[in-house]
Amino acid sequence: MRIPHTISKNVIAAYRCSPETTLLSQEQGRTLRAEDASWDDGVIPDLKILALRAIVLTWKDNPILEDLPTCADRDVLVETLPTDLPFELTIPRIGDEFYWERSAKDRWEYNDPSEHGNSWRRLYCERHLVEYLETLQASYFEPQREECEKLMALVKNHIHVIRLRSLVPTKKRTDMENDELILEDDVVHHIPMAVILPQFPHLTEIYLNFGMIYMNDGFEWRDFEFSLEDCLSLGEGIKASPKLKKFSLTRSNLDQPRVAAILQGMISNDNIEELDLSHCKLKDKGAHAVGEFLSRHQNLKILHLTNNNIGPIGVAGIVHGLLKASSTALKHLDFRLNPLQTEGANHICALLVRNKTLETLNISGCELGPEDGIALADVFSSGCVELEALSLDVSNNNFGFTEITDEQEKAKSILKVQHSSGLVY
C-alpha cells in the first residue's frame, strides 16, 4: 500500500500497532489489517496508476505535472520521477520540495537544508551552481559563456547564498617562436564575477576563496594567486548586487592593492552589513584601505580582520576611519591574532573612549603585555567609556605579573567583573 509523502512519518509512527499489541490473542486471528502496508503487493494496480507510470517513462519527452487532474496524481508523479532528469526540464516545472529532497539525497551524501533557508529546492540550486562555477575553466570562459548564462537564468530566483571554496585559475600562456617555447607574462585570472553576480537578484551572502582545495599532479603555487582585474571585477559584481548583506573573502593572498580594488566597488553598495577578510595578507597598508572604507560606508555593522598581520600603524588607520563623523556605526570588531602590541593597544583605548556604538571587541592573541592590560583597565575605570554594553575578549595575551600599585590593581580587577552601569568585560 502506497503511503503519500504528504503524510508525516510521525503520524504513521503514532498510529502503528506496537509489538506488544500484535502479540495479543485477539490479534492473532484478525484478517483485516489496515496497518499492513504490504497487503496489496500482489494486487494488479488500477488503470490510473499504470497511466501515471507511463507518463513517468516518457516524462522527458512530455514533461507534464500541473496538467494532471488531481493533487493525488501529482503526488504519485513527484514520488516516482527519476532524479537524474535534465535540470533544464525539472527546475522550471517541479516546485514540490519532496522531489528536490530525493534529488539532493541521491546526489550528495551530506545535506543540511537549514543552511539554505530550509528549502530543498534552494539547496539543490545553490549547490548545483557552486559545483558548476568551481569547475568552470577561466581560460575558456567566453566559449562557455552562453551555457553559463543559461544555467544562471534557470536558478537565479533560487540563489540567496553563494559559497565558492575554490576557483580554477587560467592556465599558463605560452607562444611558439622559431620552434622555441616562450612563456608569456604569467598573470593569473579567474572567472569574471562582474558577469556572474548581477544575475542573481536575491543574493544576500557571498563566501569566496581564491585558491584550490584539491591538489593534483599539476599543482603550482600560482593556483593560489589572483589578479587585480579579478578584484575589480568582483567589486563591480558586488556593486550590482542590491540585496547583498554579507561578503566574506578569507584564506587568500589578499593585499592592499587587491582589497582596495574590491572596496572601490563595494563602497557603493549601502546594504552590506558584514565584511569578513580573515586570514589574508592585508598588513598595515591593507588595514588603511579598510579604514578609508569604514569612514565612507554608512551601514557596516560587523568587521572580521583576524590574522592579517596588522600592526599598530594599521590599527591606527582602522580607528581613524571609525572615529570620523561620517563613518559606519560598527558594532562588532574582530582583531584576533594581529600583532597590535602596546602602541596598537593605545589606539584601541582611544577607540573605546570615543566610540558609542561598539558592542563586541575581540583583541585576543594580539601580543599585549601587562602595561596594556593596565591601560585598558584604567580606561574602563575612568568613567569616560559611554558604551551601553560591551563584550571584550582579551584572552591569550601575556598580561602576566608585574608590580603595580593598589589603585592599578583595583582598576585591573574591573576587567573581570560586571560594572554596575551594565558594561560587561
Side-chain angles (χ1 to χ4, degrees):
M1 179 177 67
R2 169 185 164 270
I3 300 177
H5 72 273
T6 52
I7 298 178
S8 170
K9 293 181 179 179
N10 293 331
V11 173
I12 298 172
Y15 283 92
R16 182 179 293 117
C17 291
S18 65
E20 293 78 10
T21 302
T22 57
L23 297 177
L24 296 175
S25 58
Q26 299 91 326
E27 294 289 318
Q28 301 303 314
R30 185 159 61 90
T31 56
L32 294 178
R33 296 182 178 274
E35 73 278 5
D36 183 9
S38 62
W39 69 271
D40 62 346
D41 287 350
V43 179
I44 297 175
D46 56 31
L47 184 59
K48 183 172 72 171
I49 296 299
L50 293 175
L52 288 171
R53 290 178 182 176
I55 292 175
V56 169
L57 292 174
T58 60
W59 200 83
K60 186 182 295 186
D61 301 320
N62 184 27
I64 61 173
L65 180 60
E66 297 300 328
D67 297 333
L68 295 178
T70 67
C71 293
D73 296 338
R74 292 192 286 271
D75 288 342
V76 173
L77 196 68
V78 166
E79 292 172 6
T80 53
L81 276 176
T83 58
D84 58 351
L85 291 169
F87 189 67
E88 61 271 14
L89 291 180
T90 56
I91 190 61
R93 292 176 174 84
I94 302 178
D96 194 287
E97 287 285 289
F98 183 72
Y99 176 80
W100 296 107
E101 180 180 356
R102 290 175 51 224
S103 300
K105 289 180 178 179
D106 288 346
R107 181 169 177 180
W108 300 293
E109 182 177 354
Y110 170 77
N111 297 279
D112 186 1
S114 65
E115 297 179 354
H116 306 268
N118 291 314
S119 170
W120 286 97
R121 190 182 190 185
R122 177 182 150 187
L123 178 149
Y124 194 93
C125 290
E126 288 181 349
R127 296 188 66 177
H128 180 77
L129 173 70
V130 165
E131 286 191 357
Y132 176 80
L133 294 179
E134 287 181 347
T135 57
L136 194 60
Q137 295 289 335
S139 299
Y140 312 104
F141 177 77
E142 285 303 323
Q144 303 173 88
R145 181 167 180 167
E146 183 177 355
E147 176 189 351
C148 181
E149 289 178 345
K150 287 182 179 179
L151 174 61
M152 292 189 293
L154 285 173
V155 302
K156 67 179 183 180
N157 292 326
H158 308 288
I159 302 299
H160 295 259
V161 179
I162 294 180
R163 301 175 184 272
L164 294 171
R165 301 174 300 168
S166 65
L167 289 172
V168 180
T170 52
K171 297 181 178 179
K172 282 186 176 181
R173 299 178 58 186
T174 57
D175 194 11
M176 295 294 295
E177 183 176 330
N178 299 327
D179 296 330
E180 291 184 1
L181 188 65
I182 300 177
L183 185 66
E184 298 183 4
D185 292 339
D186 186 21
V187 180
V188 179
H189 298 289
H190 294 80
I191 53 177
M193 290 298 171
V195 175
I196 294 172
L197 296 183
Q199 306 301 320
F200 307 112
H202 307 294
L203 186 62
T204 58
E205 297 181 14
I206 300 174
Y207 300 85
L208 180 60
N209 174 31
F210 284 107
M212 303 296 292
I213 57 175
Y214 297 113
M215 303 297 113
N216 52 30
D217 294 338
F219 160 74
E220 296 177 309
W221 285 112
R222 68 185 297 277
D223 294 340
F224 294 91
E225 298 175 4
F226 54 101
S227 65
L228 193 61
E229 288 76 9
D230 287 333
C231 298
L232 290 170
S233 177
L234 180 58
E236 289 299 316
I238 294 172
K239 180 180 179 181
S241 301
K243 294 186 178 181
L244 189 64
K245 297 289 185 182
K246 178 178 180 178
F247 175 72
S248 174
L249 174 57
T250 61
R251 297 172 288 117
S252 299
N253 292 326
L254 185 67
D255 54 12
Q256 187 273 334
R258 289 166 175 78
V259 74
I262 295 174
L263 296 177
Q264 180 181 346
M266 189 184 300
I267 200 169
S268 302
N269 192 333
D270 292 332
N271 293 305
I272 295 179
E273 297 180 353
E274 183 172 354
L275 177 61
D276 189 352
L277 303 175
S278 300
H279 307 290
C280 293
K281 298 180 179 180
L282 296 181
K283 299 183 179 180
D284 290 337
K285 291 184 177 180
H288 274 273
V290 175
E292 181 65 22
F293 170 78
L294 293 173
S295 68
R296 299 170 61 186
H297 197 278
Q298 298 297 317
N299 297 319
L300 193 72
K301 299 294 187 295
I302 302 174
L303 176 62
H304 299 274
L305 296 174
T306 303
N307 190 25
N308 269 283
N309 198 23
I310 298 173
I313 298 176
V315 177
I318 298 289
V319 172
H320 178 72
L322 287 174
L323 295 180
K324 281 191 175 181
S326 60
S327 70
T328 180
L330 198 70
K331 293 184 177 181
H332 182 111
L333 179 58
D334 188 349
F335 267 128
R336 285 179 300 151
L337 304 178
N338 286 292
L340 307 187
Q341 302 175 358
T342 299
E343 187 178 347
N346 293 335
H347 293 304
I348 295 295
C349 290
L351 176 65
L352 293 173
V353 170
R354 299 176 62 184
N355 185 276
K356 298 181 181 181
T357 62
L358 205 60
E359 296 177 358
T360 303
L361 175 62
N362 192 329
I363 50 175
S364 60
C366 290
E367 301 184 11
L368 305 184
E371 297 80 3
D372 307 320
I374 295 171
L376 288 169
D378 287 339
V379 167
F380 289 121
S381 63
S382 66
C384 298
V385 178
E386 300 182 16
L387 300 172
E388 293 184 0
L390 175 66
S391 175
L392 176 63
D393 188 346
V394 293
S395 60
N396 199 27
N397 284 295
N398 187 23
F399 288 150
F401 298 93
T402 185
E403 294 183 3
I404 57 178
T405 65
D406 293 339
E407 292 182 358
Q408 290 174 327
E409 180 66 38
K410 181 179 178 181
K412 186 176 179 181
S413 66
I414 295 177
L415 288 172
K416 303 178 182 179
V417 298
Q418 181 171 340
H419 197 270
S420 59
S421 63
L423 292 175
V424 179
Y425 311 123

